[in-house]
Amino acid sequence: MGRVTVRRPVRKISATRDVRRPDALAAEEPLEIRVGGKALAVTMRTPGNDVELAHGFLLSEGVLASREDVAVARYCDGVDDQGRNTYNVLDIALAEGVAPPETGVERNFYTTSSCGVCGKAALDAVKLKSRFSPEKSEFAVHTDVLAKLPDTLRAHQKVFASTGGLHAAALFDAEGGLAVVREDVGRHNAVDKVLGWALQEGRIPAADAGLLVSGRASFELVQKAAMAGIGLLAAVSAPSSLAAELAEENGMTLIGFLRGDSMNLYTGEQRVLGLGS
């Protein structure tokens, strides 16, 4: 398996010193996801939890609904110049009766670590319909709990602490407990890993949890949460206009700029407890 971090020499320059030392960088490698032997997407990701990533990706594409929809997941093919498996090609065999991805879902070339929908063959397919309505989620959380979540998440970001170069995502409960935390150079990959974990644990739809992300709330992250039946998405940074529109369309709660005791509530006030009049 590829390394999560890579050591590289660096020359560190400041007003008071000029030193050379090794530095830890977040690893970024391609992962090709295949379904039934057919290439579906290539994403740039931090190695690790690849099976979760593929499960979450296929959930968010509407291919999977439960862990029983996958017969087997296995690494294949990819080798380096010394003939060693790079673990950068993952093939998902769907269970009997599970429909493969529809034509038009394929990614053109690759998805970058910053964008989860770039290169989609058909833009009309971007707004996917969830099998699990997030609007039905009765999950609710108090503002006091929300305020503590960023610090709790940061305490679990082990690789970020050494590299400063990773996004994180987590599922949290009404008391602020984190069920799972995943890191990745791509924020959409971090979310896919979390959703893939939930799928494998039989926790989809995840109507009893909220989704927390360490960066901004973009359209594709709201979409992924909706596809998992999650009713509340909280982000440490800003949402995009399309993210807010999609959250509102799906009856979701969208929170941005979650920092300390301050937050912006864009949609779905009914899921946030402790609000003033």
Side-chain angles (χ1 to χ4, degrees):
M1 178 66 68
R3 292 174 292 176
V4 176
T5 61
V6 177
R7 303 288 285 182
R8 296 279 299 183
V10 62
R11 183 174 180 178
K12 188 173 179 63
I13 303 169
S14 69
T16 58
R17 62 176 182 167
D18 183 343
V19 297
R20 297 179 186 273
R21 62 177 178 80
D23 191 28
L25 301 179
E28 183 175 28
E29 296 181 11
L31 175 68
E32 179 179 314
I33 299 174
R34 299 178 181 178
V35 176
K38 181 180 179 181
L40 178 65
V42 176
T43 185
M44 301 303 296
R45 97 305 189 191
T46 299
N49 305 110
D50 291 334
V51 174
E52 291 177 353
L53 192 162
H55 277 67
F57 174 79
L58 293 174
L59 167 68
S60 65
E61 294 291 348
V63 177
L64 305 181
S66 72
R67 57 189 172 190
E68 287 76 22
D69 289 343
V70 174
V72 65
R74 65 183 182 88
Y75 289 102
C76 55
D77 285 308
V79 295
D80 61 17
D81 54 6
Q82 298 181 20
R84 297 173 299 190
N85 197 324
T86 61
Y87 297 98
N88 285 340
V89 181
L90 186 68
D91 191 20
I92 301 294
L94 300 177
E96 185 176 355
V98 177
E102 295 179 4
T103 302
V105 169
E106 297 90 349
R107 310 292 192 184
N108 292 334
F109 303 112
Y110 67 94
T111 64
T112 70
S113 57
S114 62
C115 180
V117 296
C118 300
K120 198 152 204 176
L123 290 178
D124 289 342
V126 168
K127 285 192 175 182
L128 300 174
K129 184 173 177 61
S130 176
R131 307 184 198 191
F132 314 111
S133 173
E135 188 172 14
K136 296 179 180 179
S137 169
E138 297 181 357
F139 178 77
V141 61
H142 199 280
T143 54
D144 291 345
V145 173
L146 287 167
K148 297 175 182 177
L149 285 174
D151 287 342
T152 303
L153 179 63
R154 179 62 63 86
H156 286 78
Q157 291 181 252
K158 297 179 180 179
V159 184
F160 178 87
S162 62
T163 66
L166 290 181
H167 296 279
L171 284 181
F172 63 92
D173 60 28
E175 286 72 46
L178 304 185
V180 59
V181 177
R182 293 291 182 262
E183 294 181 279
D184 200 278
V185 288
R187 55 180 172 269
H188 61 95
N189 288 334
V191 170
D192 279 341
K193 289 177 179 181
V194 164
L195 299 186
W197 173 88
L199 189 76
Q200 291 182 309
E201 293 293 316
R203 295 187 57 168
I204 297 294
D208 59 346
L211 177 64
L212 175 66
V213 295
S214 63
R216 65 184 180 89
S218 53
F219 167 87
E220 70 266 25
L221 300 194
V222 174
Q223 175 184 284
K224 288 177 182 297
M227 295 298 286
I230 296 172
L232 187 151
L233 171 61
V236 172
S237 193
S240 68
S241 62
L242 195 55
E245 290 175 20
L246 187 64
E248 189 169 45
E249 287 177 12
N250 283 277
M252 297 170 63
T253 298
L254 178 61
I255 298 167
F257 293 106
L258 179 59
R259 301 169 184 175
D261 60 359
S262 175
M263 67 194 76
N264 287 357
L265 179 54
Y266 294 90
T267 62
E269 294 183 4
Q270 74 277 10
R271 293 191 182 89
V272 180
L273 307 177
L275 297 175
S277 57

